[in-house]
Amino acid sequence: MFPVLRNRAYRHLFAAQVVALTGTGLATVALGLLAHDLAGPRAGSVLGTALAIKMVAYVAVAPAVGALAHRLPRRALMAGSDLARAAVALSLPFVDRVWQVYLLVFLLQAASAAFTPTFQAVIPDVLPDERDYTRALSLSRLAYDLESLFSPALAAALLAVTTYDRLFLGTVAGFLASAALVLSAAVPRPAADTASAGDGRHAGHAHARVAAGVRLILAAPSLRALLLLNLAVAAAGSLVAVNTVVYVRDLLGRGTGDVALALGAYGAGSMAVALALPRLLDRVADRTVMLRGGAALAAVLAAAGALTAAAPGPFSWPALLAAWAALGAAGSAVLTPAGRLVRRAVPAGRRTEAFAAQFSLSHAGWLLAYPLAGWVGAAAGLTAAAAVLGVLAAGSVLAAAALWCPAAQPSPEPAADAAREPTPVPVAAAAGAGRLHRLLAPRHGH
């Protein structure tokens, strides 16, 4: 996958993503410890609310950015978002009230909601060859995994010599470096928007372009299934993001450094799968990889519930690390190929809208899952939270498998097919089988 880094523009953009995510990872650890200081055992509830606010920003802001991005220089938009995130992160060390956490999280993530879909839409233009783009998707997933692995390890090392509020300064540095790298990259102009060039509604009104982006996602059965699989990932990821600090500090009675190690285990599992996927996706259908990853998420959530229900013992800590690594691996199997589905199903000139809509709609699942993880965990305990999230993940995967039959696979040539309305897929025919192993059977071709 690394030969794609010979492309100078992609190399700079990828480096920007890595340094920004490293800073974000430091902020994630610091926010968890800040929430524990402010709320004690109810830190999961505070984090669940803060992360739900993050998703509100994503769901509300991303489609509007996708609708307006065609009027703005994409490089300036991404760099400006980085500078805005740096300014917000600089304020986080001075927080001493829960409401301040909520406000700053919203502002920080609103800027991220402007950056991320724009970045996702730029990469297919920088790397038009599908094999290169597939490897770029794996590298992008690897960047997220490195954030989950390297940032907690770096945080653990820094916490040995400083207080957690200083970690936010690393976040500021990451966003400033990202802005500089984005400005140094040659970002190509987007492809002509042939699907809407003659449509005055799309050209003149942002809300029409927002609606068009959502329709692009909902028109393709594979992309509707992707939304359901994203909900399963959200169910698993929210348990990790919201309740890791409660598992480690309160259930197992371990130190702050172990919070970072547990988050690192999640990243390690995800990274292992991201490294293996490019070769695998050359031989195995996206559907097979993604649905089996989703099924694994539901299974590991059930195991996490059993682990929580058992009395803590000498094997509890290794078991938690193994469960978190497995959740990371399964989530990566779902998320890494997602960009391929959007790229195939949507014509080139509509990708910014489509990626923004997919970003927003997929994060609506996190908007549901984060509060469930935090509030159910605080009110009924960690076992109940894992059980509720496991049921949500299992139901989402079954629905996705029923909806995404081989006949609904997108064409490799999106420009030719995307203008046509896909033929509705009879869900009942697939659902009638009623057995998960048949729905997850291998299918050849992409």
Side-chain angles (χ1 to χ4, degrees):
M1 70 177 73
F2 295 102
V4 296
L5 294 174
R6 295 170 186 162
N7 183 304
R8 183 180 184 277
Y10 176 70
R11 184 169 66 249
H12 283 224
L13 291 172
F14 177 70
Q17 182 185 29
V18 169
V19 295
L21 286 172
T22 300
T24 302
L26 293 177
T28 299
V29 175
L31 275 174
L33 296 173
L34 173 62
H36 195 269
D37 269 3
L38 294 176
R42 296 189 62 82
S45 178
V46 172
L47 274 179
T49 303
L51 293 172
I53 291 171
K54 167 183 174 178
M55 294 303 112
V56 169
Y58 281 178
V59 171
V61 175
V65 172
L68 296 173
H70 68 293
R71 301 180 181 178
L72 303 172
R74 295 189 292 181
R75 182 169 58 179
L77 178 59
M78 289 188 288
S81 300
D82 275 334
L83 294 176
R85 292 192 288 183
V88 174
L90 193 59
S91 305
L92 285 169
F94 305 102
V95 164
D96 59 3
R97 297 287 188 276
V98 169
W99 70 266
Q100 295 169 349
V101 173
Y102 296 157
L103 174 63
L104 292 176
V105 163
F106 178 83
L107 295 175
L108 181 68
Q109 302 309 327
S112 293
F115 180 94
T116 304
T118 307
F119 178 90
Q120 290 173 335
V122 164
I123 300 305
D125 294 333
V126 173
L127 299 170
D129 179 77
E130 176 153 341
R131 287 176 63 87
D132 288 342
Y133 180 58
T134 299
R135 279 138 185 79
L137 288 175
S138 288
L139 277 175
S140 182
R141 185 69 246 162
L142 183 61
Y144 282 101
D145 298 335
L146 286 172
E147 179 259 310
S148 299
L149 180 62
F150 174 71
S151 295
L154 178 60
L158 292 174
L159 287 170
V161 297
T162 188
T163 55
Y164 70 79
D165 56 328
R166 301 291 180 88
L167 299 182
F168 292 120
L169 298 179
T171 301
V172 175
F175 289 139
L176 292 177
S178 176
L181 286 162
V182 166
L183 291 173
S184 71
V187 175
R189 285 181 170 274
D193 192 346
T194 55
S196 60
D199 192 338
R201 294 173 302 164
H202 291 170
H205 301 288
H207 71 272
R209 295 185 70 94
V210 171
V214 172
R215 285 197 299 271
L216 286 169
I217 297 301
L218 298 182
S222 62
L223 298 186
R224 294 200 297 270
L226 174 60
L227 295 180
L228 289 165
L229 290 171
N230 281 330
L231 180 57
V233 174
S238 63
L239 184 70
V240 175
V242 172
N243 287 319
T244 293
V245 67
V246 183
Y247 270 97
V248 174
R249 300 284 283 140
D250 296 327
L251 181 67
L252 301 181
R254 302 183 73 90
T256 57
D258 287 338
V259 174
L261 291 177
L263 294 172
Y266 180 84
S270 184
M271 183 170 63
V273 170
L275 288 169
L277 274 181
R279 292 182 180 275
L280 181 64
L281 290 172
D282 285 340
R283 304 188 306 273
V284 182
D286 295 354
R287 179 186 186 274
T288 301
V289 172
M290 296 172 72
L291 289 176
R292 289 185 175 179
L297 288 170
V300 179
L301 282 171
L307 169 66
T308 309
F315 298 105
S316 297
W317 174 238
L320 178 68
L321 294 178
W324 266 213
L327 289 176
S332 184
V334 173
L335 294 176
T336 300
R340 288 159 54 102
L341 303 186
V342 178
R343 181 179 184 270
R344 291 184 187 135
V346 177
R350 310 292 300 280
R351 284 179 188 153
T352 300
E353 294 169 59
F355 275 110
Q358 196 274 336
F359 182 83
S360 178
L361 292 172
S362 66
H363 282 83
W366 293 87
L367 179 58
L368 170 65
Y370 274 142
L372 276 178
W375 299 342
V376 174
L382 296 175
T383 301
V388 169
L389 294 169
V391 169
L392 177 62
S396 299
V397 174
L398 285 168
L403 177 64
W404 189 6
C405 66
Q409 299 268 13
S411 167
E413 297 295 336
D417 293 341
R420 298 197 298 267
E421 188 72 17
T423 302
V425 177
V427 174
R435 294 192 296 273
L436 181 59
H437 73 275
R438 290 185 62 186
L439 292 171
L440 302 184
R443 315 280 178 149
H444 297 292
H446 296 300

